[in-house]
Amino acid sequence: MTINESNARLTYWAGVALGPAAWAANLQGVYAITHLACEKAKWGGIALSTLLVLGALAGAVISARAIRRRAGIEWSDTAGGGPRAFLAWLGVGTGVLFALVIADQLLAALVISPCLR
């Protein structure tokens, strides 16, 4: 396996890995700064969530580009093009799904006051 082939395989995993990682970072980050949200402005959580939504969508875009780049090669690949295409499509789906989950949590943070106890 060459270095280019190894890097190409990592692009298929980008959406699968970046979406859940962005969601986990968002969840832990928002929990960590919740006690500050009541004392100060809540823009820190909004900025964190917005950046991580973009991170999750970046993983989906990277996986989508991997699919598009190798679209014609997948069907003639005897080394298992089907599983890699499935993994890339799974990466696109999970990237978009976790971006929507982070956006949903962001909307909840905007609507509900953090000072409610």
Side-chain angles (χ1 to χ4, degrees), residues 69-112:
R69 185 176 55 237
R70 295 185 48 94
I73 300 170
E74 293 296 330
W75 299 108
S76 63
D77 188 9
T78 58
R84 281 185 257 154
F86 173 73
L87 185 65
W89 279 113
L90 183 69
V92 171
T94 57
V96 170
L97 175 71
F98 280 101
L100 289 173
V101 168
I102 296 169
D104 182 44
Q105 291 175 342
L106 172 63
L107 290 175
L110 291 174
V111 172
I112 300 170

Side-chain angles (χ1 to χ4, degrees), residues 1-18:
M1 177 180 345
T2 65
I3 293 174
N4 287 338
E5 187 176 326
S6 173
N7 288 339
R9 288 185 182 192
L10 289 177
T11 58
Y12 291 109
W13 280 96
V16 177
L18 286 179

Side-chain angles (χ1 to χ4, degrees), residues 41-69:
K42 57 183 176 181
W43 297 109
I46 294 170
L48 175 69
S49 295
T50 304
L51 289 174
L52 291 171
V53 163
L54 294 175
L57 288 175
V61 168
I62 291 169
S63 288
R65 287 188 65 201
I67 294 169
R68 186 172 183 197
R69 185 176 55 237

